[in-house]
Short mmCIF file of all heavy atoms in Angstrom, two decimals:
data_model
loop_
_atom_site.label_atom_id
_atom_site.label_comp_id
_atom_site.label_asym_id
_atom_site.label_seq_id
_atom_site.Cartn_x
_atom_site.Cartn_y
_atom_site.Cartn_z
N LYS A 1 0.86 -1.20 0.00
CA LYS A 1 0.00 0.00 0.00
C LYS A 1 0.89 1.23 0.00
O LYS A 1 2.01 1.21 0.50
CB LYS A 1 -0.89 0.03 1.26
CG LYS A 1 -1.83 -1.17 1.40
CD LYS A 1 -3.00 -1.09 0.45
CE LYS A 1 -3.97 -2.26 0.69
NZ LYS A 1 -5.05 -2.27 -0.31
N ASN A 2 0.37 2.32 -0.54
CA ASN A 2 1.14 3.57 -0.55
C ASN A 2 1.10 4.25 0.81
O ASN A 2 0.10 4.16 1.54
CB ASN A 2 0.64 4.52 -1.64
CG ASN A 2 -0.82 4.88 -1.47
OD1 ASN A 2 -1.67 4.01 -1.33
ND2 ASN A 2 -1.12 6.17 -1.48
N THR A 3 2.17 4.93 1.16
CA THR A 3 2.24 5.70 2.41
C THR A 3 2.20 7.20 2.12
O THR A 3 2.11 7.99 3.04
CB THR A 3 3.53 5.37 3.17
OG1 THR A 3 4.65 5.65 2.33
CG2 THR A 3 3.57 3.91 3.59
N LYS A 4 2.33 7.56 0.84
CA LYS A 4 2.31 8.98 0.45
C LYS A 4 1.32 9.18 -0.69
O LYS A 4 1.25 8.37 -1.61
CB LYS A 4 3.70 9.43 -0.02
CG LYS A 4 4.79 9.33 1.04
CD LYS A 4 6.13 9.79 0.46
CE LYS A 4 7.24 9.65 1.50
NZ LYS A 4 8.56 10.08 0.97
N ASP A 5 0.56 10.27 -0.62
CA ASP A 5 -0.38 10.59 -1.69
C ASP A 5 0.30 11.47 -2.73
O ASP A 5 -0.03 12.64 -2.90
CB ASP A 5 -1.62 11.30 -1.12
CG ASP A 5 -2.45 10.35 -0.28
OD1 ASP A 5 -2.54 9.17 -0.65
OD2 ASP A 5 -2.99 10.79 0.75
N GLU A 6 1.27 10.89 -3.41
CA GLU A 6 1.96 11.61 -4.47
C GLU A 6 2.44 10.62 -5.52
O GLU A 6 2.69 9.46 -5.22
CB GLU A 6 3.15 12.40 -3.92
CG GLU A 6 4.21 11.54 -3.24
CD GLU A 6 5.36 12.36 -2.66
OE1 GLU A 6 5.18 12.93 -1.56
OE2 GLU A 6 6.41 12.42 -3.31
N LYS A 7 2.53 11.09 -6.76
CA LYS A 7 2.96 10.21 -7.84
C LYS A 7 4.44 9.86 -7.66
O LYS A 7 5.21 10.66 -7.17
CB LYS A 7 2.74 10.87 -9.20
CG LYS A 7 1.27 10.92 -9.62
CD LYS A 7 1.13 11.30 -11.09
CE LYS A 7 1.55 10.19 -12.03
NZ LYS A 7 0.67 9.00 -11.92
N SER A 8 4.77 8.63 -8.04
CA SER A 8 6.16 8.20 -7.97
C SER A 8 6.36 7.03 -8.94
O SER A 8 5.40 6.56 -9.57
CB SER A 8 6.52 7.75 -6.55
OG SER A 8 5.94 6.48 -6.28
N VAL A 9 7.58 6.56 -9.03
CA VAL A 9 7.86 5.41 -9.91
C VAL A 9 7.25 4.13 -9.34
O VAL A 9 7.26 3.09 -10.01
CB VAL A 9 9.38 5.21 -10.11
CG1 VAL A 9 9.98 6.36 -10.88
CG2 VAL A 9 10.09 5.03 -8.76
N TYR A 10 6.71 4.22 -8.11
CA TYR A 10 6.14 3.03 -7.46
C TYR A 10 4.61 3.02 -7.55
O TYR A 10 3.96 2.26 -6.83
CB TYR A 10 6.58 2.97 -5.99
CG TYR A 10 8.07 3.08 -5.83
CD1 TYR A 10 8.66 4.25 -5.33
CD2 TYR A 10 8.92 2.03 -6.20
CE1 TYR A 10 10.04 4.36 -5.19
CE2 TYR A 10 10.30 2.14 -6.07
CZ TYR A 10 10.86 3.30 -5.57
OH TYR A 10 12.22 3.41 -5.44
N ASP A 11 4.04 3.82 -8.45
CA ASP A 11 2.58 3.94 -8.58
C ASP A 11 1.88 2.58 -8.66
O ASP A 11 0.84 2.38 -8.04
CB ASP A 11 2.21 4.74 -9.84
CG ASP A 11 2.41 6.24 -9.62
OD1 ASP A 11 2.84 6.61 -8.52
OD2 ASP A 11 2.13 7.01 -10.54
N MET A 12 2.45 1.68 -9.45
CA MET A 12 1.76 0.40 -9.68
C MET A 12 1.67 -0.44 -8.41
O MET A 12 0.87 -1.38 -8.33
CB MET A 12 2.45 -0.40 -10.79
CG MET A 12 3.79 -1.00 -10.42
SD MET A 12 4.38 -2.20 -11.67
CE MET A 12 3.36 -3.62 -11.31
N TYR A 13 2.48 -0.10 -7.38
CA TYR A 13 2.47 -0.87 -6.14
C TYR A 13 1.68 -0.17 -5.02
O TYR A 13 1.72 -0.60 -3.88
CB TYR A 13 3.91 -1.11 -5.67
CG TYR A 13 4.73 -1.88 -6.68
CD1 TYR A 13 5.76 -1.26 -7.38
CD2 TYR A 13 4.47 -3.22 -6.94
CE1 TYR A 13 6.52 -1.97 -8.32
CE2 TYR A 13 5.22 -3.93 -7.87
CZ TYR A 13 6.24 -3.29 -8.56
OH TYR A 13 6.98 -3.99 -9.48
N TYR A 14 0.95 0.90 -5.36
CA TYR A 14 0.20 1.65 -4.33
C TYR A 14 -0.98 0.85 -3.77
O TYR A 14 -1.44 1.11 -2.68
CB TYR A 14 -0.27 2.98 -4.89
CG TYR A 14 0.80 4.07 -4.86
CD1 TYR A 14 2.11 3.79 -4.49
CD2 TYR A 14 0.50 5.39 -5.20
CE1 TYR A 14 3.08 4.77 -4.45
CE2 TYR A 14 1.47 6.39 -5.17
CZ TYR A 14 2.76 6.07 -4.81
OH TYR A 14 3.72 7.05 -4.78
N ASP A 15 -1.47 -0.08 -4.54
CA ASP A 15 -2.53 -0.98 -4.04
C ASP A 15 -2.35 -2.29 -4.79
O ASP A 15 -3.02 -2.57 -5.78
CB ASP A 15 -3.91 -0.39 -4.31
CG ASP A 15 -5.02 -1.21 -3.65
OD1 ASP A 15 -4.68 -2.09 -2.84
OD2 ASP A 15 -6.19 -0.98 -3.96
N TYR A 16 -1.42 -3.10 -4.30
CA TYR A 16 -0.95 -4.23 -5.10
C TYR A 16 -0.85 -5.48 -4.25
O TYR A 16 -0.57 -5.42 -3.05
CB TYR A 16 0.45 -3.89 -5.65
CG TYR A 16 1.04 -4.92 -6.59
CD1 TYR A 16 0.66 -4.99 -7.92
CD2 TYR A 16 1.99 -5.83 -6.11
CE1 TYR A 16 1.21 -5.93 -8.77
CE2 TYR A 16 2.55 -6.79 -6.96
CZ TYR A 16 2.15 -6.83 -8.29
OH TYR A 16 2.69 -7.76 -9.13
N SER A 17 -1.10 -6.61 -4.88
CA SER A 17 -0.90 -7.89 -4.18
C SER A 17 -0.48 -8.95 -5.19
O SER A 17 -0.89 -8.90 -6.35
CB SER A 17 -2.18 -8.33 -3.46
OG SER A 17 -3.19 -8.63 -4.39
N GLU A 18 0.35 -9.86 -4.74
CA GLU A 18 0.78 -10.97 -5.60
C GLU A 18 1.21 -12.14 -4.73
O GLU A 18 1.76 -11.96 -3.64
CB GLU A 18 1.93 -10.54 -6.52
CG GLU A 18 2.31 -11.63 -7.53
CD GLU A 18 3.21 -11.15 -8.64
OE1 GLU A 18 3.56 -9.96 -8.68
OE2 GLU A 18 3.58 -11.98 -9.49
N ALA A 19 0.95 -13.33 -5.24
CA ALA A 19 1.31 -14.55 -4.51
C ALA A 19 2.82 -14.64 -4.33
O ALA A 19 3.58 -14.32 -5.26
CB ALA A 19 0.79 -15.78 -5.25
N VAL A 20 3.23 -15.07 -3.16
CA VAL A 20 4.66 -15.23 -2.87
C VAL A 20 5.32 -16.16 -3.89
O VAL A 20 6.42 -15.92 -4.36
CB VAL A 20 4.86 -15.80 -1.44
CG1 VAL A 20 6.30 -16.25 -1.22
CG2 VAL A 20 4.46 -14.76 -0.40
N LYS A 21 4.61 -17.22 -4.26
CA LYS A 21 5.22 -18.24 -5.13
C LYS A 21 5.38 -17.77 -6.58
O LYS A 21 6.13 -18.38 -7.35
CB LYS A 21 4.40 -19.53 -5.09
CG LYS A 21 3.00 -19.43 -5.68
CD LYS A 21 2.27 -20.76 -5.56
CE LYS A 21 0.85 -20.66 -6.13
NZ LYS A 21 0.11 -21.92 -5.96
N THR A 22 4.70 -16.67 -6.97
CA THR A 22 4.79 -16.22 -8.37
C THR A 22 5.45 -14.86 -8.55
O THR A 22 5.76 -14.47 -9.67
CB THR A 22 3.40 -16.16 -9.02
OG1 THR A 22 2.58 -15.20 -8.31
CG2 THR A 22 2.72 -17.52 -9.02
N ILE A 23 5.67 -14.14 -7.47
CA ILE A 23 6.17 -12.77 -7.61
C ILE A 23 7.56 -12.77 -8.26
O ILE A 23 8.45 -13.52 -7.87
CB ILE A 23 6.19 -12.03 -6.25
CG1 ILE A 23 6.45 -10.53 -6.46
CG2 ILE A 23 7.18 -12.63 -5.28
CD1 ILE A 23 6.12 -9.67 -5.25
N ALA A 24 7.71 -11.94 -9.28
CA ALA A 24 8.96 -11.90 -10.05
C ALA A 24 10.06 -11.20 -9.26
O ALA A 24 9.80 -10.26 -8.51
CB ALA A 24 8.74 -11.16 -11.37
N PRO A 25 11.31 -11.66 -9.43
CA PRO A 25 12.42 -11.06 -8.67
C PRO A 25 12.54 -9.55 -8.84
O PRO A 25 12.80 -8.85 -7.86
CB PRO A 25 13.65 -11.78 -9.25
CG PRO A 25 13.14 -13.11 -9.70
CD PRO A 25 11.76 -12.83 -10.21
N HIS A 26 12.35 -9.03 -10.06
CA HIS A 26 12.52 -7.58 -10.24
C HIS A 26 11.43 -6.80 -9.52
O HIS A 26 11.64 -5.66 -9.10
CB HIS A 26 12.57 -7.20 -11.73
CG HIS A 26 11.31 -7.45 -12.50
ND1 HIS A 26 11.02 -8.66 -13.08
CD2 HIS A 26 10.26 -6.63 -12.78
CE1 HIS A 26 9.86 -8.58 -13.70
NE2 HIS A 26 9.37 -7.37 -13.52
N ARG A 27 10.24 -7.43 -9.34
CA ARG A 27 9.19 -6.74 -8.58
C ARG A 27 9.51 -6.74 -7.09
O ARG A 27 9.20 -5.77 -6.38
CB ARG A 27 7.83 -7.39 -8.86
CG ARG A 27 7.27 -7.00 -10.23
CD ARG A 27 5.77 -7.21 -10.30
NE ARG A 27 5.41 -8.60 -10.46
CZ ARG A 27 5.37 -9.23 -11.62
NH1 ARG A 27 5.68 -8.59 -12.72
NH2 ARG A 27 5.02 -10.50 -11.69
#
């Protein structure tokens, strides 16, 4: 979840979830 209400390069992770077993290393 985001901790700041401002745009950043991390926008796609502001409300994001993914399974531990599938999450890609670069993510």
Side-chain angles (χ1 to χ4, degrees):
K1 300 285 184 185
N2 59 308
T3 57
K4 299 179 182 180
D5 291 323
E6 60 182 80
K7 286 193 73 65
S8 74
V9 293
Y10 308 107
D11 283 1
M12 72 168 284
Y13 300 110
Y14 279 6
D15 187 11
Y16 184 80
S17 66
E18 186 167 359
V20 168
K21 66 181 179 183
T22 62
I23 191 165
H26 65 273
R27 284 201 283 276

